[in-house]
Amino acid sequence: MPGMPADSGGAIVPFSGEPKHAASALPVRPIRHGVPPPISRVYISWSSGNLLQVACLRPPSPEEGAGRGAEEVAGRVVEVNLGVGAGNGSAEVEEEVDEAEMRRIEYGSVPAFALLQSRKNALADAAAMQHMHSVSEHAEWWQYVLEYSKTIGNLLGNQDSLPALMIEDPRAILKVREKPTSLKAAWELLEIFYVDKELHSWLPERLVDWLADYDSLLTKTDGTVYFKLNNFQKKLINLQIVENDDDYWNGLSAALSVGWLDVVVNMLRFHGSYQLGQMDNRETENGLVEAVAVLVSTMPRMRPDLPKGKLGQCCKTRPDFIKAWEKWRGQVSKLECSAFWIQCSHQKTRDGLKNLLHIMMGNIKDLTAATSHWLELFASHFLYIRPFTVGFEGMHHLAQKCIQLKPSFDTNGLTGLLNGILSENPEVVLAECTKKFGPW
């Protein structure tokens, strides 16, 4: 669809910016074409999915010959992802990853993809000789795919790439990390569920790790545990007695519900009963706070290891995990029934700590109240209600129940992608990837 741009102050398509009716205002998408003015011709054509291809051409230079000038007309073709509307989905991805960064990722992925194809061809020849039906039957193949996925993941960004601060703030709740992107989050989801075969036995725990890295991307309107803690962090500067503030206990409950154990223990140590001048007068209260902190820090986790700074008791085998879980849950129940609660005179501390114990005991009412997004509630089920889940066992059905309890009105490519994965429908997964993140 070629066209000549109108004389509109440098804009390719004239737009007044003042629609008569706000409700009928159309989304406007800026095109980063990088072609210096004047632009004499624009071509627009449909590509795959929701992509438009826009070609911007400059006129031939009058200083050059007609034939040569026609061959050397400056121009560029860019792709615009229409997504589902301005401010959502693809528009968000466009803001997260600029054109230069996306070009670096695309060029950087070529050697890794070429190596993977070479290995695939070699395995295909070996499979033919060994009368195997497909390359995927080779154990080495999935190791090659995982190596490729890790390489691309590093290209997309490293969550721990920022240098550590020389002096850490003891009252810092959330660590300063590289800003996450939806593209990186989507790639990791695909790796977790489709590529890394060793994750099958501790898939729910890996999903909890993913949520810790990308919870801030789930929604921009409905709120998340991350934003709840981030808002309290700003408020903390002016708080002298944190245990008197409802947001302190709400933040603790929210962090515990999604398994951020290190954050919970750190926040519990903000409690006023730890101050030197208070410990003698609030000995019982401090003992209860410390007892809850110990239980949180020793919570059994069905996983081979834990990242640096993360808390919990690792169990590598299912029998060991079941034994440790039953013992730990018994300790939680014992503390919940302790007579020391009667001696705790600070009501908000007593109620707040009891609520944390109820979360660790898997009380669905408290878990639902503590979480903000359905995916957070989904993760909390695997931590406290269904800790022995392995693989995809009942995940899709549980996700639908959580969506009913915590409906989200903010459409997001990540949650749509996860829904497709859990429904075990590859066509939906591919469609979501193309729609939200482009063909790459």
Side-chain angles (χ1 to χ4, degrees):
M1 189 178 73
M4 297 291 291
D7 183 12
S8 54
I12 295 179
V13 179
F15 176 68
S16 65
E18 299 178 354
K20 295 181 180 179
H21 303 287
S24 61
L26 297 176
V28 179
R29 298 186 182 277
I31 300 175
R32 303 183 183 93
H33 51 77
V35 179
I39 296 175
S40 65
R41 192 169 292 273
V42 175
Y43 293 87
I44 301 175
S45 62
W46 282 108
S47 182
S48 60
N50 285 345
L51 295 176
L52 277 182
Q53 285 189 339
V54 182
C56 303
L57 305 179
R58 298 185 69 218
S61 174
E63 299 177 359
E64 300 180 3
R68 184 180 174 187
E71 296 175 356
E72 297 185 2
V73 170
R76 191 167 188 181
V77 179
V78 294
E79 286 187 331
V80 180
N81 193 332
L82 299 182
V84 293
N88 295 327
S90 60
E92 179 182 326
V93 176
E94 287 178 12
E95 293 172 2
E96 289 178 343
V97 184
D98 61 26
E99 188 178 335
E101 178 66 12
M102 196 64 217
R103 189 163 57 246
R104 181 191 69 81
I105 293 170
E106 290 171 351
Y107 289 153
S109 66
V110 172
F113 183 72
L115 177 61
L116 181 66
Q117 287 296 103
S118 175
R119 287 172 166 176
K120 180 181 179 181
N121 293 335
L123 287 177
D125 294 340
M129 295 177 62
Q130 298 171 15
H131 304 288
M132 290 184 176
H133 293 293
S134 65
V135 173
S136 61
E137 294 182 23
H138 275 277
E140 301 98 316
W141 168 243
W142 289 109
Q143 192 59 40
Y144 293 153
V145 175
L146 180 59
E147 183 181 325
Y148 166 74
S149 181
K150 296 291 185 186
T151 302
I152 302 302
N154 289 333
L155 276 173
L156 296 177
N158 187 349
Q159 287 288 90
D160 300 317
S161 62
L162 293 183
L165 298 174
M166 294 293 291
I167 302 176
E168 292 189 3
D169 183 359
R171 286 166 71 91
I173 298 174
L174 300 169
K175 293 182 179 180
V176 178
R177 308 177 73 178
E178 182 180 281
K179 184 180 179 182
T181 65
S182 296
L183 187 59
K184 168 81 169 178
W187 189 270
E188 285 201 10
L189 270 182
L190 296 177
E191 181 181 297
I192 290 168
F193 285 95
Y194 291 122
V195 179
D196 197 341
K197 300 300 181 180
E198 295 180 359
L199 288 179
H200 184 76
S201 61
W202 57 289
L203 183 60
E205 277 281 344
R206 186 61 188 89
L207 188 59
V208 170
D209 289 347
W210 180 89
L211 188 62
D213 289 334
Y214 302 108
D215 185 67
S216 61
L217 299 177
L218 294 183
T219 175
K220 292 186 179 300
T221 60
D222 300 332
T224 61
V225 171
Y226 173 86
F227 286 116
K228 187 179 293 186
L229 293 174
N230 194 42
N231 290 335
F232 178 70
Q233 178 75 76
K234 299 171 185 176
K235 186 179 183 179
L236 185 60
I237 301 173
N238 300 317
L239 280 180
Q240 296 297 324
I241 306 176
V242 295
E243 60 268 27
N244 288 339
D245 192 275
D246 290 336
D247 289 340
Y248 170 69
W249 296 108
N250 291 337
L252 277 167
S253 300
L256 182 60
S257 68
V258 291
W260 299 358
L261 307 186
D262 53 318
V263 173
V264 176
V265 172
N266 184 37
M267 289 181 67
L268 283 172
R269 299 281 158 75
F270 297 166
H271 195 276
S273 64
Y274 282 98
Q275 296 178 12
L276 292 177
Q278 299 284 331
M279 293 189 72
D280 292 338
N281 300 328
R282 306 170 70 179
E283 185 177 357
T284 301
E285 186 179 346
N286 178 256
L288 289 170
V289 174
E290 183 62 22
V292 172
V294 170
L295 284 173
V296 170
S297 63
T298 57
M299 176 180 166
R301 314 287 293 266
M302 179 60 188
R303 54 188 301 151
D305 52 37
L306 277 166
K308 183 179 178 181
K310 300 296 182 181
L311 299 178
Q313 175 188 351
C314 285
C315 301
K316 296 183 180 180
T317 65
R318 186 179 176 86
D320 288 344
F321 175 66
I322 294 174
K323 183 179 179 180
W325 179 265
E326 291 176 348
K327 179 182 178 182
W328 176 80
R329 184 60 75 83
Q331 293 171 339
V332 174
S333 300
K334 184 178 180 181
L335 180 60
E336 203 271 339
C337 299
S338 172
F340 285 106
W341 295 106
I342 302 174
Q343 303 175 30
C344 181
S345 58
H346 194 273
Q347 183 177 350
K348 286 195 174 182
T349 295
R350 185 171 64 248
D351 295 343
L353 293 178
K354 283 261 191 175
N355 189 55
L356 297 181
L357 292 176
H358 293 159
I359 287 174
M360 289 188 279
M361 294 171 68
N363 186 301
I364 183 61
K365 181 179 178 181
D366 292 300
L367 286 170
T368 305
T371 51
S372 302
H373 192 274
W374 73 262
L375 189 48
E376 295 168 348
L377 181 60
F378 180 70
S380 72
H381 271 75
F382 296 116
L383 286 168
Y384 304 108
I385 299 177
R386 302 173 54 180
F388 308 132
T389 300
V390 175
F392 277 83
E393 184 183 325
M395 279 193 170
H396 185 245
H397 178 67
L398 177 59
Q400 299 308 308
K401 287 179 62 178
C402 292
I403 291 172
Q404 291 177 359
L405 290 170
K406 294 278 185 181
S408 177
F409 302 101
D410 184 7
T411 55
N412 182 285
L414 294 176
T415 52
L417 176 60
L418 184 58
N419 259 324
I421 292 173
L422 296 179
S423 64
E424 300 184 59
N425 191 333
E427 292 183 0
V428 173
V429 173
L430 289 173
E432 285 291 335
C433 287
T434 303
K435 177 181 177 182
K436 299 294 182 181
F437 306 107
W440 182 86

